[in-house]
């Protein structure tokens, strides 16, 4: 390798990518997209009907409707303006007669639902819900929990229980999650989950962005025939190595810019964060994260560069890119689902397998304490993958970059790999 | 001793033999023309000369030594299709290409500005390549070919896309390089330029060397018995003359090949006797174009597909 020439190539790549306007824009835009997507998810989950839900509660139990009304006022999780509720008390026979009259109101949605509380409800808690759309869980569950509280209170009221007993009976279970590690046991909130999601997304974007950039740059050099001039000065190996080092530095810098604020916010006491949002991640795990990303980025840049060399226009390259995209997309989705159970066998295996471990392991390590040997396996496996992949990618690059004219088939590309020199 | 010797060079791509046992020498102080149709094997030969492709057989000796990867630093290559980064500035482009040839620093920078001045592009030094006209882009490409002061210059179709004034400028610089003892290979399918500039040529067709040597000698050899007549009136009777080998009629101009050069006088005499009005009669003259067509016809089989 001619280091001076490689240096020249690296310098140009950095000038072209790291110091480009588009780099700054993309680097700032990505965290915004992540925050936006988390926000959208939260908003969609909490989304309810914009207009107030109109419901009728009919009770066969005398005096129950008054208590429900009171309970409604006390429940802080329900905004009064979201529900317009009317109440009625009548026998089952009367209600069955009046339901026929109420039917048109349900059909034209001037009434979203009717809840009938039969007498037996005090024994079996079985209510009847009438609606055009009985599957709409939002209305049922909100009103249901209020009615449940009233029924519980009513049930115990004649049995010499004090208010505290009743309050206890009404209270739902609340899990307080404690994270147990070798050193300590501590309360855990949403922090690790947010970090896991953040890592997954940043790794995905980091790999995709720099992959696409090097793909485009290889295609530009090939289709503009710059590569002919370059190869009259440097060897194809030096050219590829220079380009990949340049792109890796750019990508690492980007990852650093994204994560430094996170490290500062979470590892110092400069910002007071609620316990709910904190997480603990050791310096070794941070080191692992960057080392893992570096190995991953070099591997994938090699693959993207090889694909770019096979084709001589963006369109063909996009369609030829799917095998490489799959190697990023599948681990990305696995990593997103790791939160359900970070210790099931899918999560464990994909966090040490080639390619997938690059994205899955960082997502998993934020959620559970990964044994050191698994980190070691993941690094060794990824390094081995890199050592196997790189010469193959290099060969495809070297031959593809000078081929013009017809689009080669995969069989032909496989033939290039077998060529001796 | 010839500075560049090419011995038995061969390159196969699978079944296809792109370059087939080619040998020729490039003499000192000369412009050497590498001539052939598209797909004849010129580019593959050039890529082997620059160490981009390794030959399957044969060797390339430059100034007594077999070429190594370091040889690339002494080569300046102007490709047929222009290759520049569109978004890079003119001066950055020039300095980048010099840097990967191992030349950097203020001396190169100074020289780059000198060349820009000479090509009347000094005011465009910080413009982006994409903002330059095609002709100007080509001038930048040419400057980047010679900025690192190479000993061996390969120019692939250097004049395509240039206006007459810039063509003259480029020609002057090429001749200047020749005067500085540089080895220059000019690859082209435009025979006129090759004929005007080259001292020696090698003609490649279907991967094989079909002709090479001193251009003057080649022309002399091929022009013997060749006559061009510009005339008025019908001269089809010459087909019956026993010493006439071949006649190509282009209307007012007719190209005739006679068996031997002394038959030239006989032909002229016959034409005068038959009262043909002769405006021009030139004997023992031929163009590279004609030689090429003649040779290509003789070897002509199916043209190779694709450029390697």
């Amino acid at each position: 390798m001619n280091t001076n020439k490689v240096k020249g190539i690296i310098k140009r790549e950095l000038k072209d990518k790291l110091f480009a306007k588009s780099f700054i824009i993309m680097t700032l835009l990505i965290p915004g997209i992540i925050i936006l997507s988390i926000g959208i998810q939260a908003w969609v989950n909490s989304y309810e009907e914009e207009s107030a839900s109109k419901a009728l509660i009919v009770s066969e139990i005398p005096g129950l409707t008054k208590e429900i009304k009171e309970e409604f006022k006390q429940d802080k999780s329900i905004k009064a303006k979201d529900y317009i509720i009317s109440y009625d008390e009548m026998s089952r026979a009367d209600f069955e007669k009046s339901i026929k009259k109420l039917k048109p109101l349900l059909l034209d949605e001037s009434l979203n639902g009717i809840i009938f509380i039969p007498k037996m409800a005090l024994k079996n808690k079985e209510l009847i819900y009438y609606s055009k759309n009985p599957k709409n869980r939002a209305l049922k569950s909100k009103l249901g929990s209020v009615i449940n509280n009233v029924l519980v209170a009513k049930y115990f009221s004649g049995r010499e229980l004090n208010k505290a007993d009743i309050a206890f009976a009404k209270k739902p279970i609340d899990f307080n999650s404690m994270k147990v590690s070798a050193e300590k046991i501590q309360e855990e909130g949403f922090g690790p989950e947010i970090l896991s999601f953040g890592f997954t997304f940043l790794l995905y974007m980091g790999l995709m962005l720099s992959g696409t950039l090097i793909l485009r740059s290889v295609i530009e050099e090939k289709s503009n025939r710059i590569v002919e001039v370059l190869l009259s000065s440097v060897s194809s190996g030096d050219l590829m190595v220079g380009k990949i080092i340049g792109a890796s530095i750019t990508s690492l810098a980007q990852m650093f810019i994204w994560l430094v604020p996170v490290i500062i916010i979470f590892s110092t006491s400069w910002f007071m964060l609620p316990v709910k949002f904190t997480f603990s991640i050791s310096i070794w795990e941070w080191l692992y994260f960057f080392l893992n990303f570096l190995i991953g980025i070099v591997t994938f840049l090699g693959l993207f560069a090889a694909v770019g060399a096979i084709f001589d226009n963006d369109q063909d390259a996009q369609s030829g890119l799917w095998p490489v995209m799959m190697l990023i997309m599948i681990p990305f989705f696995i990593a997103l689902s790791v939160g359900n159970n970070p210790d099931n066998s899918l999560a464990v295996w994909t966090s040490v397998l080639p390619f997938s471990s690059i994205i899955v392991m960082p997502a998993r390590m934020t959620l559970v304490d990964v044994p050191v040997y698994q980190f070691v396996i993941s690094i060794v496996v990824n390094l081995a993958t890199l050592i196997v992949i790189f010469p193959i990618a290099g060969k495809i690059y070297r031959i593809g970059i000078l081929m013009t004219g017809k689009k080669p088939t995969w069989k032909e590309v496989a033939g290039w790999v077998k060529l001796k020199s | 001793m010839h500075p560049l010797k090419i011995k038995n060079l061969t390159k196969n791509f699978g079944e296809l033999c792109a370059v087939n046992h080619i040998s020729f020498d490039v003499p000192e102080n000369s412009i050497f023309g590498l001539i052939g149709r598209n797909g004849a094997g010129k580019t593959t030969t050039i890529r082997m000369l620059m160490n981009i492709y390794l030959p399957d057989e044969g060797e390339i000796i430059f100034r007594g030594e077999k070429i190594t990867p370091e040889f690339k630093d002494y080569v300046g290559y102007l490709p047929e299709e222009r290759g520049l980064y569109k978004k890079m500035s003119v001066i950055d482009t020039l300095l980048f290409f010099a840097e990967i040839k191992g030349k950097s620093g203020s001396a190169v920078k100074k020289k780059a500005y000198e060349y820009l001045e000479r090509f009347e592009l000094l005011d465009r030094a910080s413009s982006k390549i994409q903002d330059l006209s095609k002709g100007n882009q080509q001038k930048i490409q040419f400057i980047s070919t010679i900025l690192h002061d190479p000993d061996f210059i390969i120019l692939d179709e250097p004049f395509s896309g240039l206006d007459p004034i810039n063509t003259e400028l480029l020609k002057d610089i090429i001749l200047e390089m020749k005067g500085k003892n540089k080895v220059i290979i000019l690859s082209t399918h435009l025979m006129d330029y090759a004929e005007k500039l080259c001292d020696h040529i090698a003609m490649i067709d279907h991967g094989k060397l079909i002709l090479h040597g001193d251009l003057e000698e080649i022309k002399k050899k091929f022009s013997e018995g060749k006559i061009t007549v510009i005339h008025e009136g019908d001269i089809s009777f010459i087909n019956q003359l026993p010493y006439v080998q071949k006649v190509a009629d282009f209307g007012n101009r007719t190209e005739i090949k006679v068996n031997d050069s002394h038959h030239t006088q006989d032909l002229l005499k016959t034409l005068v006797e038959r009262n043909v009005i002769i405006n021009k009669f030139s004997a023992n003259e031929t163009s590279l174009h004609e030689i090429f067509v003649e040779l290509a016809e003789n070897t002509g089989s199916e043209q190779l597909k694709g450029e390697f």
Side-chain angles (χ1 to χ4, degrees), chain A residues 58-124:
Chain A
V58 181
S59 166
E60 215 180 357
I61 306 158
L64 198 75
T65 50
K66 213 179 131 202
E67 284 164 50
I68 294 173
K69 228 184 265 178
E70 276 308 303
E71 184 72 23
F72 251 113
K73 278 182 203 152
Q74 278 162 31
D75 194 327
K76 289 183 186 86
S77 72
I78 297 175
K79 288 181 202 134
K81 66 173 173 55
D82 289 344
Y83 296 94
I84 299 168
I85 298 169
S86 44
Y87 301 91
D88 211 343
E89 281 186 11
M90 63 177 86
S91 71
R92 191 173 196 127
D94 289 342
F95 175 70
E96 271 162 14
K97 272 180 223 154
S98 61
I99 187 77
K100 285 185 188 112
K101 280 183 230 152
L102 293 167
K103 201 175 149 189
L105 296 178
L106 284 172
L107 287 177
D108 69 12
E109 288 183 3
S110 50
L111 198 57
N112 299 101
I114 303 169
I115 294 172
F116 180 66
I117 309 169
K119 257 192 192 130
M120 283 301 285
L122 270 177
K123 291 209 168 67
N124 62 13

Side-chain angles (χ1 to χ4, degrees), chain B residues 242-297:
Chain B
Y243 51 81
V244 169
Q245 256 181 30
K246 206 172 145 194
V247 177
D249 189 358
F250 297 96
N252 284 338
R253 187 172 65 100
T254 305
E255 286 172 11
I256 305 151
K257 176 111 169 76
V258 292
N259 283 340
D260 199 71
S261 52
H262 70 263
H263 290 130
T264 313
Q265 297 305 316
D266 301 338
L267 179 70
L268 181 61
K269 211 168 129 195
T270 313
L271 288 172
V272 174
E273 280 167 8
R274 296 279 190 119
N275 292 326
V276 175
I277 299 166
I278 298 166
N279 295 326
K280 189 180 170 191
F281 185 93
S282 64
N284 301 332
E285 245 188 39
T286 187
S287 67
L288 198 53
H289 181 89
E290 285 169 72
I291 298 171
F292 181 74
V293 172
E294 194 180 323
L295 284 173
E297 271 174 2

Side-chain angles (χ1 to χ4, degrees), chain B residues 82-123:
Chain B
R82 307 303 158 232
L84 296 169
Y85 292 104
K86 288 187 182 136
K87 295 201 168 140
M88 231 170 157
S89 77
V90 167
I91 188 73
D92 281 352
T93 301
L94 294 178
L95 296 179
F96 168 66
F97 283 123
E99 187 175 3
I100 56 172
K101 288 284 186 191
K103 292 266 169 87
S104 57
S106 55
V108 177
K109 205 168 180 175
K110 196 174 150 240
K111 219 166 145 196
Y113 281 110
E114 277 170 20
Y115 273 120
L116 285 175
E117 192 169 6
R118 191 158 174 200
F119 278 94
E120 294 174 343
L121 281 169
L122 198 55
D123 54 328

Side-chain angles (χ1 to χ4, degrees), chain B residues 202-221:
Chain B
M203 204 180 273
I204 299 177
D205 200 43
H206 296 94
K208 284 186 186 147
L209 190 67
I210 53 172
L211 180 73
H212 75 117
D214 183 284
L215 184 59
E216 282 310 308
E217 283 171 19
I218 289 172
K219 275 171 77 173
K220 204 170 153 199
K221 190 178 141 208

Side-chain angles (χ1 to χ4, degrees), chain A residues 36-63:
Chain A
L36 200 73
S37 64
I38 293 176
I40 288 175
Q41 212 182 353
W43 178 76
V44 167
N45 280 340
S46 67
Y47 179 80
E48 285 174 37
E49 206 55 54
E50 277 168 18
S51 57
S53 300
K54 291 169 286 275
L56 170 65
I57 297 175
V58 181
S59 166
E60 215 180 357
I61 306 158

Side-chain angles (χ1 to χ4, degrees), chain A residues 5 221 224-225 228 232, chain B residues 47 73 81-82 85 101:
Chain A
K5 292 186 178 188
E221 283 166 3
N224 285 352
R225 304 299 174 95
E228 297 248 343
S232 75
Chain B
R47 283 180 180 174
D73 288 351
E81 283 171 81
R82 307 303 158 232
Y85 292 104
K101 288 284 186 191

